[in-house]
Amino acid sequence: MPEIKNMTLNFGPQHPAAHGVLRLVLEMDGEVIQRADPHIGLLHRGTEKLAESKPFNQSIGYMDRMDYLSMMCNEHAYVLAIEKLLGVTPPRRAQYIRVMFAEITRILNHVFWLAAHSLDCGAMTVFLYAFREREDLLDCYEAVSGTRMHATYFRPGGVYRDLPDMMPKYQASKWHSQEEVDEHNADRCGSLLDFIEAFTERFPGHVDEYETLLTDNRIWKQRTVGIGMISPERAIQLGFTGCMLRGSGVEWDLRRKQPYEVYSELDFDIPVGKEGDCYDRYLVHIEEMRQSNRIIRQCVEWLRANPGPVIHDDHKISPPRREDMKGDMESLIHHFKLFTEGYCVPAGEVYVPTEHPKGEFGVYLISDGANKPYRLKVRSAAFTHLSGINELVQGHMLADVVAVLSTLDIVFGEVDR
Amino acid sequence: MMSNSNEHFLERLRERFSGKLLDAHLHWGQITLELMPENLLEICLALREEKEFAFDQLSDVCGVDYLDYGKVDWETRDTTSTGFSRGVTEGVFGKEAITFPARFASVYHLLSLKHNRRLRLRCFIPSDPPKLSSVVDIWASANWFEREAFDLFGILFEGHPDLRRILTDYGFIGHPFRKDFPLEGNVEVRYDPDQKRVIYQPVTIENRVLVPRVIRDA
């Protein structure tokens, strides 16, 4: 009888299913996982330490690079923390714009999650479909902030600028005829709000397409039902939030339980799962996309009816208008002070949690009264979710590790910070 | 969560843990309890177990180094002939002496799903090296958070099952988030074509502070 020993398998850090740079050391008994030990930190950039060396506003751009699939949601928590310390409330229109973009970001994130999750489980088509929707939403990002990913659009006191009245259009080239281009531009003839509204009209149909491909698919169910199960008690104990917690049947959503911005005025439902396995979490994600779509529609309607300022008018924290600077000495001084020194934030500390697409994204900010944060701590959902992976994969087969990893919705920019 | 109920809850906490807290206060609608390491486990266990608190989730553990708190590069009240010059040298001026019970602290953010309430605990760690008990047996989510605080600040958590570095490189020396650790680090890596491998060497870049750190009382 030969002696059989457990095998240690190294997964990653350069592996397409590792969602970035995760090194996972797996102790295997044949095909069965005995223990999983994630090694993280390969993307650690010391963002929190860097933030200590810069004025508050200069770190907003770093927040985009935390979870680079839900950029504006990261900014949101950081900006809310600064506003709380400053005691500033942004204008209503800015709050609606932020909520609308937070929900657009949620769809961006969930669509990508679905794409990657299904690809990891062997379904290629969904991946291609998902990128069709991402393209439209990234165009919204571009129209409003000038960039497709790292927007730096939310600012303490509001947003960088109001929604544009026109969308950029495709142009004919030797590869795309005028007819083709006109078809692409059909939704782009009006304002950004028209474009978003047109998107919300077709999006539920697209979600139906994903569901046709996956929800009753036998292979999909075999790959996800009963995989990575977690009980609600254990999920709470392990610090799980977001879809990971709702998938286990705990109705906990910060947008509803501890509302911030204008979420308390909006109408939406919180989906929950029953079993706490990968399949239930998939259903929760799908329903959340539909709910986000609903929220966006309500925001569009409100924003159409209520024009107004989009940033706080205290020029100690938000820049004055460019035109004013040309003639008004005070505006010029404000501009100079703001962009050289920044603003001082009263001494104190706040923890601001937000319902990020991946779970609770909290920013803990300590200020000693200076123009730079004294300590910034980002509590990312994916970090805690990944810390629980050992319990989720124990006793499963090697191929299920990939399914569990992608159900966790981890992004290394956020895990490693 | 109304502010009234927060004040009421703060009173209740003061009453329940009287004599064990250094301070308890409410700012920006958030309650903070300050305590010393010897009472940490007892208070945490009570906060989780007792029905009126029921803090069943630990959202975050955060190490803090209070070494430079209130210190600035530039004195803003009087004109000085020293201090910040052309964005290269750092001068350190103290504001008022702000004293803390210890240099290091570990900050816990608790969440009660049942009562929809949050609470912050700050545990000052006077020992050198900083050492305090791990709460991993009370909340399992503390595991990686404590590893992170150990890695970045060198806080030792006694009773932690697996206190390894988590975010920094294998074989890293030092604790990078301490205030006396330079922003640009101590070593850098590069590929050495002679030795045909990646080597570590002392950093060749110099940190330039472009925006001085100032405190202005508006």
Side-chain angles (χ1 to χ4, degrees), chain B residues 21-75:
Chain B
L21 301 177
L22 292 176
D23 191 17
H25 52 82
L26 173 69
H27 283 310
W28 288 280
Q30 303 184 345
I31 298 174
T32 311
L33 304 183
E34 292 184 352
L35 49 126
M36 292 308 268
E38 52 271 23
N39 298 322
L40 179 71
L41 281 188
E42 186 196 338
I43 292 179
C44 284
L45 202 61
L47 286 171
R48 192 195 70 181
E49 288 301 320
E50 288 172 22
K51 285 222 167 57
E52 62 172 323
F53 304 128
F55 285 101
D56 40 13
Q57 192 172 65
L58 175 74
S59 292
D60 189 30
V61 179
C62 169
V64 186
D65 177 1
Y66 283 104
L67 186 67
D68 288 344
Y69 194 89
K71 286 184 188 158
V72 293
D73 298 332
W74 207 354
E75 183 59 73

Side-chain angles (χ1 to χ4, degrees), chain B residues 20 37 49 64 84 114 117 130 145 149 155 160 163 166 175 184 191 199 203 207 209 212:
Chain B
K20 296 192 182 101
E49 288 301 320
V64 186
F84 211 78
K114 193 174 155 215
R117 205 172 246 142
F145 287 131
I155 299 170
H160 191 287
L163 200 64
I166 186 163
H175 299 289
E184 69 275 19
Y191 178 74
I199 57 161
V203 280
N207 183 24
V209 181

Side-chain angles (χ1 to χ4, degrees), chain A residues 170-186:
Chain A
Y170 290 107
Q171 283 174 345
S173 63
K174 62 179 173 185
W175 297 281
H176 297 285
S177 66
Q178 190 61 45
E179 272 167 54
E180 240 180 299
V181 166
D182 286 343
E183 202 180 307
H184 283 308
N185 285 337

